């Protein structure tokens, strides 16, 4: 049978991308996202991962608390973004994000 934990011990190469601009392409091409590390901003707000672009489908959305310092979110299974990974936040809500991903242009 399938073992979901095999995903985390897979042969996929995992990369991390640090983003500190409000709207950015993290990775182009078919990509799986394993988790994020967020530096909380001075105000509570939203963090979004989108599929491909600023108008792409929202694949992950969370509210961040104000001044919570670092927040690590590990996904129970990778989130697939078919057209690449795009982040959207405001720096009042999230100062910076590190996105852990595989696929796309790091195959």
């Amino acid at each position: 049978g399938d073992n979901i934990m095999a995903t985390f011990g897979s042969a996929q190469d995992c990369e991390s991308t640090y983003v500190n601009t409000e709207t950015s392409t993290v990775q182009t091409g078919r990509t799986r996202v394993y988790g994020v590390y967020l530096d909380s901003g001075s105000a509570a707000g939203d963090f979004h991962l989108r599929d491909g672009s600023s108008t792409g489908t929202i694949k992950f959305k969370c509210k961040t608390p104000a001044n919570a310092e670092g927040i690590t979110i590990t996904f129970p299974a990778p989130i697939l973004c078919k057209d690449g990974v795009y982040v959207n936040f405001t720096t009042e809500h999230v100062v910076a994000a590190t996105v852990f991903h595989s696929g796309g242009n790091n195959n």
Side-chain angles (χ1 to χ4, degrees):
D2 291 338
N3 180 350
I4 195 164
M5 292 307 291
T7 301
F8 296 100
S10 73
Q12 284 271 20
D13 290 332
C14 190
E15 298 282 330
S16 66
T17 300
Y18 175 83
V19 180
N20 62 0
T21 53
E22 296 188 348
T23 52
S24 297
T25 298
V26 171
Q27 172 89 322
T28 57
R30 186 178 174 93
T31 303
R32 295 186 193 282
V33 180
Y34 296 90
V36 295
Y37 175 84
L38 306 175
D39 287 329
S40 174
S42 59
D46 290 335
F47 174 83
H48 297 167
L49 289 176
R50 291 183 174 267
D51 195 336
S53 71
S54 62
T55 58
T57 302
I58 294 174
K59 302 297 268 189
F60 175 75
K61 176 180 179 178
C62 72
K63 288 272 190 203
T64 59
N67 297 317
E69 299 181 4
I71 302 164
T72 301
I73 303 168
T74 304
F75 303 146
I79 295 175
L80 175 62
C81 294
K82 293 181 181 180
D83 297 318
V85 180
Y86 185 90
V87 295
N88 183 247
F89 57 86
T90 64
T91 52
E92 292 78 22
H93 302 157
V94 174
V95 177
T98 300
V99 180
F100 299 92
H101 54 86
S102 66
N105 55 15
N106 51 294
N107 276 341

